[in-house]
Amino acid sequence: MSSEKNILFVNACGRPESRTLVLAEHVLSKLTGNVEEVNLTREDIHPLTADMAEMRDEAIQNDDLTAPILRYARQFAAADIVVIAAPFWDLSFPSMLKVYMESVTVNGITFYYTEEGIPSGLCKARKLIYVTSAGGPIMDPHLGFGYISALAETFYHIPQIYFFKAENLDIIGADVPGILQEAKEEIDNSDFAET
């Protein structure tokens, strides 16, 4: 039996020169295991409609966990570590990440409700690492990371959540290499790569 970790890399970076992607790749270089990437710019994911929700519910009720509509939820639930790379857009993240999280948050796969109606996690992951960058300052609270963190804590019950950012990258006179290096050093000094 292999003890190698399954690392799910959720890539919401729309630009090939993305500075968020640079930081995410630095995070991934610190982890050991099989990396499976979901590049959201290449996936055919759609916002959840009533018909899709019904199809999803039917698949769960029929115990058809191989149904394509459950693919992202199954993949997310099986990961040992989740790395999410999402640039800071409009005080949050690109909308494709929200659509992806709708596909992941599935009762019976990534979480379930207790008899008291409280969400309880079914995810294998013990760590979630969120990486972002911004041209200007990142406001507090960070609405994008806050949403992902709330899902991870409340629904998936992922116990260790890490947040790395580089901000003010497009401010006139900004030392972009220096800012990115500082973020990389913060990554280097973190304990997320420890077992």
PDB file of all heavy atoms in Angstrom, residues 6 13 20 25 34 57 65 71 77 87 100 116 124-125 145 152 154 156 167 170 182 188 190:
ATOM      1  N   ASN A   6      -1.840  12.172  -2.053  1.00  0.00           N
ATOM      2  CA  ASN A   6      -2.551  12.665  -3.232  1.00  0.00           C
ATOM      3  C   ASN A   6      -2.793  14.152  -3.031  1.00  0.00           C
ATOM      4  O   ASN A   6      -3.504  14.547  -2.104  1.00  0.00           O
ATOM      5  CB  ASN A   6      -3.887  11.938  -3.406  1.00  0.00           C
ATOM      6  CG  ASN A   6      -3.695  10.498  -3.805  1.00  0.00           C
ATOM      7  OD1 ASN A   6      -2.860  10.192  -4.636  1.00  0.00           O
ATOM      8  ND2 ASN A   6      -4.447   9.608  -3.189  1.00  0.00           N
ATOM      9  N   CYS A  13      -6.054  30.251 -12.017  1.00  0.00           N
ATOM     10  CA  CYS A  13      -5.249  31.341 -12.594  1.00  0.00           C
ATOM     11  C   CYS A  13      -5.498  31.396 -14.097  1.00  0.00           C
ATOM     12  O   CYS A  13      -5.138  30.466 -14.821  1.00  0.00           O
ATOM     13  CB  CYS A  13      -3.764  31.113 -12.307  1.00  0.00           C
ATOM     14  SG  CYS A  13      -3.389  30.994 -10.553  1.00  0.00           S
ATOM     15  N   THR A  20       0.149  34.560  -9.007  1.00  0.00           N
ATOM     16  CA  THR A  20      -0.436  33.591  -8.075  1.00  0.00           C
ATOM     17  C   THR A  20       0.076  32.194  -8.415  1.00  0.00           C
ATOM     18  O   THR A  20       0.422  31.412  -7.525  1.00  0.00           O
ATOM     19  CB  THR A  20      -1.979  33.628  -8.140  1.00  0.00           C
ATOM     20  OG1 THR A  20      -2.433  34.931  -7.804  1.00  0.00           O
ATOM     21  CG2 THR A  20      -2.592  32.606  -7.202  1.00  0.00           C
ATOM     22  N   GLU A  25       3.154  27.246  -7.496  1.00  0.00           N
ATOM     23  CA  GLU A  25       4.183  26.284  -7.907  1.00  0.00           C
ATOM     24  C   GLU A  25       5.270  26.168  -6.848  1.00  0.00           C
ATOM     25  O   GLU A  25       5.826  25.088  -6.623  1.00  0.00           O
ATOM     26  CB  GLU A  25       4.762  26.683  -9.265  1.00  0.00           C
ATOM     27  CG  GLU A  25       3.774  26.425 -10.398  1.00  0.00           C
ATOM     28  CD  GLU A  25       4.192  27.013 -11.733  1.00  0.00           C
ATOM     29  OE1 GLU A  25       5.115  27.859 -11.770  1.00  0.00           O
ATOM     30  OE2 GLU A  25       3.574  26.628 -12.747  1.00  0.00           O
ATOM     31  N   ASN A  34       1.676  12.679  -5.375  1.00  0.00           N
ATOM     32  CA  ASN A  34       1.126  12.740  -6.726  1.00  0.00           C
ATOM     33  C   ASN A  34       0.247  13.971  -6.850  1.00  0.00           C
ATOM     34  O   ASN A  34      -0.749  14.092  -6.123  1.00  0.00           O
ATOM     35  CB  ASN A  34       0.272  11.491  -7.011  1.00  0.00           C
ATOM     36  CG  ASN A  34       1.087  10.228  -6.962  1.00  0.00           C
ATOM     37  OD1 ASN A  34       2.175  10.167  -7.523  1.00  0.00           O
ATOM     38  ND2 ASN A  34       0.590   9.222  -6.256  1.00  0.00           N
ATOM     39  N   ASP A  57     -28.705  14.912  -7.006  1.00  0.00           N
ATOM     40  CA  ASP A  57     -29.438  14.256  -5.917  1.00  0.00           C
ATOM     41  C   ASP A  57     -29.815  12.820  -6.288  1.00  0.00           C
ATOM     42  O   ASP A  57     -29.723  11.911  -5.456  1.00  0.00           O
ATOM     43  CB  ASP A  57     -30.691  15.056  -5.556  1.00  0.00           C
ATOM     44  CG  ASP A  57     -30.366  16.390  -4.900  1.00  0.00           C
ATOM     45  OD1 ASP A  57     -29.193  16.579  -4.480  1.00  0.00           O
ATOM     46  OD2 ASP A  57     -31.270  17.244  -4.817  1.00  0.00           O
ATOM     47  N   LEU A  65     -22.005   6.663  -7.428  1.00  0.00           N
ATOM     48  CA  LEU A  65     -20.905   7.587  -7.185  1.00  0.00           C
ATOM     49  C   LEU A  65     -20.005   7.773  -8.406  1.00  0.00           C
ATOM     50  O   LEU A  65     -19.112   8.610  -8.396  1.00  0.00           O
ATOM     51  CB  LEU A  65     -20.093   7.123  -5.982  1.00  0.00           C
ATOM     52  CG  LEU A  65     -20.878   7.038  -4.669  1.00  0.00           C
ATOM     53  CD1 LEU A  65     -19.968   6.647  -3.525  1.00  0.00           C
ATOM     54  CD2 LEU A  65     -21.586   8.345  -4.361  1.00  0.00           C
ATOM     55  N   ARG A  71     -17.969  13.973 -10.185  1.00  0.00           N
ATOM     56  CA  ARG A  71     -16.525  13.816 -10.394  1.00  0.00           C
ATOM     57  C   ARG A  71     -15.675  14.719  -9.500  1.00  0.00           C
ATOM     58  O   ARG A  71     -14.759  14.273  -8.817  1.00  0.00           O
ATOM     59  CB  ARG A  71     -16.190  14.098 -11.860  1.00  0.00           C
ATOM     60  CG  ARG A  71     -14.720  14.164 -12.134  1.00  0.00           C
ATOM     61  CD  ARG A  71     -14.416  14.602 -13.566  1.00  0.00           C
ATOM     62  NE  ARG A  71     -13.039  15.051 -13.616  1.00  0.00           N
ATOM     63  CZ  ARG A  71     -12.610  16.020 -14.371  1.00  0.00           C
ATOM     64  NH1 ARG A  71     -13.421  16.662 -15.162  1.00  0.00           N
ATOM     65  NH2 ARG A  71     -11.352  16.364 -14.361  1.00  0.00           N
ATOM     66  N   ALA A  77     -12.838  14.955  -2.235  1.00  0.00           N
ATOM     67  CA  ALA A  77     -12.967  14.169  -1.007  1.00  0.00           C
ATOM     68  C   ALA A  77     -11.804  13.194  -0.827  1.00  0.00           C
ATOM     69  O   ALA A  77     -11.418  12.885   0.299  1.00  0.00           O
ATOM     70  CB  ALA A  77     -14.292  13.410  -1.006  1.00  0.00           C
ATOM     71  N   PRO A  87      -6.187  34.151  -8.058  1.00  0.00           N
ATOM     72  CA  PRO A  87      -5.843  35.568  -7.952  1.00  0.00           C
ATOM     73  C   PRO A  87      -6.956  36.356  -7.265  1.00  0.00           C
ATOM     74  O   PRO A  87      -8.117  35.948  -7.283  1.00  0.00           O
ATOM     75  CB  PRO A  87      -5.668  36.012  -9.412  1.00  0.00           C
ATOM     76  CG  PRO A  87      -6.345  34.981 -10.231  1.00  0.00           C
ATOM     77  CD  PRO A  87      -6.325  33.709  -9.456  1.00  0.00           C
ATOM     78  N   TYR A 100     -16.804  25.914  -9.251  1.00  0.00           N
ATOM     79  CA  TYR A 100     -16.135  24.652  -8.895  1.00  0.00           C
ATOM     80  C   TYR A 100     -16.530  24.231  -7.479  1.00  0.00           C
ATOM     81  O   TYR A 100     -16.834  23.054  -7.235  1.00  0.00           O
ATOM     82  CB  TYR A 100     -14.623  24.823  -9.010  1.00  0.00           C
ATOM     83  CG  TYR A 100     -13.835  23.661  -8.452  1.00  0.00           C
ATOM     84  CD1 TYR A 100     -13.684  22.479  -9.180  1.00  0.00           C
ATOM     85  CD2 TYR A 100     -13.254  23.734  -7.187  1.00  0.00           C
ATOM     86  CE1 TYR A 100     -12.969  21.411  -8.660  1.00  0.00           C
ATOM     87  CE2 TYR A 100     -12.544  22.668  -6.662  1.00  0.00           C
ATOM     88  CZ  TYR A 100     -12.399  21.507  -7.407  1.00  0.00           C
ATOM     89  OH  TYR A 100     -11.700  20.451  -6.877  1.00  0.00           O
ATOM     90  N   GLU A 116     -28.812  16.505  13.906  1.00  0.00           N
ATOM     91  CA  GLU A 116     -29.092  17.857  14.406  1.00  0.00           C
ATOM     92  C   GLU A 116     -29.008  18.905  13.302  1.00  0.00           C
ATOM     93  O   GLU A 116     -29.200  20.095  13.568  1.00  0.00           O
ATOM     94  CB  GLU A 116     -28.107  18.229  15.524  1.00  0.00           C
ATOM     95  CG  GLU A 116     -28.194  17.351  16.761  1.00  0.00           C
ATOM     96  CD  GLU A 116     -27.533  15.984  16.586  1.00  0.00           C
ATOM     97  OE1 GLU A 116     -26.603  15.871  15.751  1.00  0.00           O
ATOM     98  OE2 GLU A 116     -27.954  15.039  17.268  1.00  0.00           O
ATOM     99  N   LYS A 124     -10.952  13.499   3.104  1.00  0.00           N
ATOM    100  CA  LYS A 124      -9.736  12.869   3.621  1.00  0.00           C
ATOM    101  C   LYS A 124      -8.661  13.901   3.972  1.00  0.00           C
ATOM    102  O   LYS A 124      -7.826  13.664   4.832  1.00  0.00           O
ATOM    103  CB  LYS A 124      -9.218  11.906   2.541  1.00  0.00           C
ATOM    104  CG  LYS A 124      -8.079  11.034   2.944  1.00  0.00           C
ATOM    105  CD  LYS A 124      -7.730  10.108   1.784  1.00  0.00           C
ATOM    106  CE  LYS A 124      -6.484   9.315   2.098  1.00  0.00           C
ATOM    107  NZ  LYS A 124      -6.031   8.543   0.925  1.00  0.00           N
ATOM    108  N   ALA A 125      -8.684  15.039   3.302  1.00  0.00           N
ATOM    109  CA  ALA A 125      -7.619  16.039   3.446  1.00  0.00           C
ATOM    110  C   ALA A 125      -7.477  16.532   4.876  1.00  0.00           C
ATOM    111  O   ALA A 125      -8.472  16.789   5.552  1.00  0.00           O
ATOM    112  CB  ALA A 125      -7.866  17.224   2.515  1.00  0.00           C
ATOM    113  N   PHE A 145     -10.638  34.111   0.424  1.00  0.00           N
ATOM    114  CA  PHE A 145     -10.081  33.129   1.348  1.00  0.00           C
ATOM    115  C   PHE A 145     -11.069  32.834   2.478  1.00  0.00           C
ATOM    116  O   PHE A 145     -11.215  31.687   2.904  1.00  0.00           O
ATOM    117  CB  PHE A 145      -8.750  33.606   1.929  1.00  0.00           C
ATOM    118  CG  PHE A 145      -8.250  32.735   3.040  1.00  0.00           C
ATOM    119  CD1 PHE A 145      -7.845  31.438   2.786  1.00  0.00           C
ATOM    120  CD2 PHE A 145      -8.225  33.199   4.349  1.00  0.00           C
ATOM    121  CE1 PHE A 145      -7.396  30.610   3.810  1.00  0.00           C
ATOM    122  CE2 PHE A 145      -7.779  32.393   5.386  1.00  0.00           C
ATOM    123  CZ  PHE A 145      -7.370  31.086   5.115  1.00  0.00           C
ATOM    124  N   ALA A 152     -14.060  24.898   4.245  1.00  0.00           N
ATOM    125  CA  ALA A 152     -13.119  23.869   4.706  1.00  0.00           C
ATOM    126  C   ALA A 152     -13.348  23.531   6.174  1.00  0.00           C
ATOM    127  O   ALA A 152     -13.301  22.360   6.563  1.00  0.00           O
ATOM    128  CB  ALA A 152     -11.685  24.336   4.480  1.00  0.00           C
ATOM    129  N   THR A 154     -16.227  24.390   8.159  1.00  0.00           N
ATOM    130  CA  THR A 154     -17.604  24.076   8.534  1.00  0.00           C
ATOM    131  C   THR A 154     -18.145  22.830   7.850  1.00  0.00           C
ATOM    132  O   THR A 154     -18.819  22.010   8.472  1.00  0.00           O
ATOM    133  CB  THR A 154     -18.523  25.274   8.213  1.00  0.00           C
ATOM    134  OG1 THR A 154     -17.980  26.436   8.823  1.00  0.00           O
ATOM    135  CG2 THR A 154     -19.928  25.047   8.703  1.00  0.00           C
ATOM    136  N   TYR A 156     -16.213  20.648   5.234  1.00  0.00           N
ATOM    137  CA  TYR A 156     -15.300  19.548   4.935  1.00  0.00           C
ATOM    138  C   TYR A 156     -14.514  19.076   6.147  1.00  0.00           C
ATOM    139  O   TYR A 156     -13.956  17.987   6.145  1.00  0.00           O
ATOM    140  CB  TYR A 156     -14.308  19.951   3.836  1.00  0.00           C
ATOM    141  CG  TYR A 156     -14.914  20.683   2.662  1.00  0.00           C
ATOM    142  CD1 TYR A 156     -14.247  21.760   2.082  1.00  0.00           C
ATOM    143  CD2 TYR A 156     -16.143  20.313   2.118  1.00  0.00           C
ATOM    144  CE1 TYR A 156     -14.783  22.440   0.994  1.00  0.00           C
ATOM    145  CE2 TYR A 156     -16.688  20.990   1.043  1.00  0.00           C
ATOM    146  CZ  TYR A 156     -15.997  22.050   0.495  1.00  0.00           C
ATOM    147  OH  TYR A 156     -16.523  22.720  -0.584  1.00  0.00           O
ATOM    148  N   GLU A 167       0.862  40.990  -2.291  1.00  0.00           N
ATOM    149  CA  GLU A 167      -0.033  42.092  -2.636  1.00  0.00           C
ATOM    150  C   GLU A 167       0.742  43.342  -3.041  1.00  0.00           C
ATOM    151  O   GLU A 167       1.959  43.396  -2.910  1.00  0.00           O
ATOM    152  CB  GLU A 167      -0.981  42.384  -1.471  1.00  0.00           C
ATOM    153  CG  GLU A 167      -0.294  42.725  -0.170  1.00  0.00           C
ATOM    154  CD  GLU A 167      -1.264  42.834   0.990  1.00  0.00           C
ATOM    155  OE1 GLU A 167      -2.413  43.285   0.796  1.00  0.00           O
ATOM    156  OE2 GLU A 167      -0.865  42.479   2.112  1.00  0.00           O
ATOM    157  N   ASP A 170       1.132  45.803  -8.388  1.00  0.00           N
ATOM    158  CA  ASP A 170       1.003  46.742  -9.514  1.00  0.00           C
ATOM    159  C   ASP A 170       1.084  48.203  -9.087  1.00  0.00           C
ATOM    160  O   ASP A 170       0.841  49.107  -9.885  1.00  0.00           O
ATOM    161  CB  ASP A 170      -0.317  46.499 -10.263  1.00  0.00           C
ATOM    162  CG  ASP A 170      -0.336  45.145 -10.945  1.00  0.00           C
ATOM    163  OD1 ASP A 170       0.750  44.613 -11.251  1.00  0.00           O
ATOM    164  OD2 ASP A 170      -1.444  44.607 -11.158  1.00  0.00           O
ATOM    165  N   GLU A 182       9.499  37.692  -0.770  1.00  0.00           N
ATOM    166  CA  GLU A 182       9.010  37.694   0.620  1.00  0.00           C
ATOM    167  C   GLU A 182       7.922  36.648   0.811  1.00  0.00           C
ATOM    168  O   GLU A 182       7.894  35.942   1.832  1.00  0.00           O
ATOM    169  CB  GLU A 182       8.467  39.075   0.992  1.00  0.00           C
ATOM    170  CG  GLU A 182       9.530  40.074   1.362  1.00  0.00           C
ATOM    171  CD  GLU A 182       8.931  41.420   1.758  1.00  0.00           C
ATOM    172  OE1 GLU A 182       7.758  41.450   2.221  1.00  0.00           O
ATOM    173  OE2 GLU A 182       9.625  42.432   1.604  1.00  0.00           O
ATOM    174  N   ASP A 188       8.364  29.167   2.636  1.00  0.00           N
ATOM    175  CA  ASP A 188       9.492  28.339   3.087  1.00  0.00           C
ATOM    176  C   ASP A 188       9.498  28.165   4.600  1.00  0.00           C
ATOM    177  O   ASP A 188       9.904  27.117   5.113  1.00  0.00           O
ATOM    178  CB  ASP A 188      10.826  28.959   2.653  1.00  0.00           C
ATOM    179  CG  ASP A 188      11.026  28.935   1.139  1.00  0.00           C
ATOM    180  OD1 ASP A 188      10.330  28.157   0.462  1.00  0.00           O
ATOM    181  OD2 ASP A 188      11.878  29.708   0.657  1.00  0.00           O
ATOM    182  N   SER A 190       6.928  28.162   6.611  1.00  0.00           N
ATOM    183  CA  SER A 190       5.698  27.570   7.133  1.00  0.00           C
ATOM    184  C   SER A 190       5.894  26.079   7.401  1.00  0.00           C
ATOM    185  O   SER A 190       6.792  25.443   6.836  1.00  0.00           O
ATOM    186  CB  SER A 190       4.568  27.774   6.129  1.00  0.00           C
ATOM    187  OG  SER A 190       3.401  27.093   6.555  1.00  0.00           O
TER     188      SER A 190
END
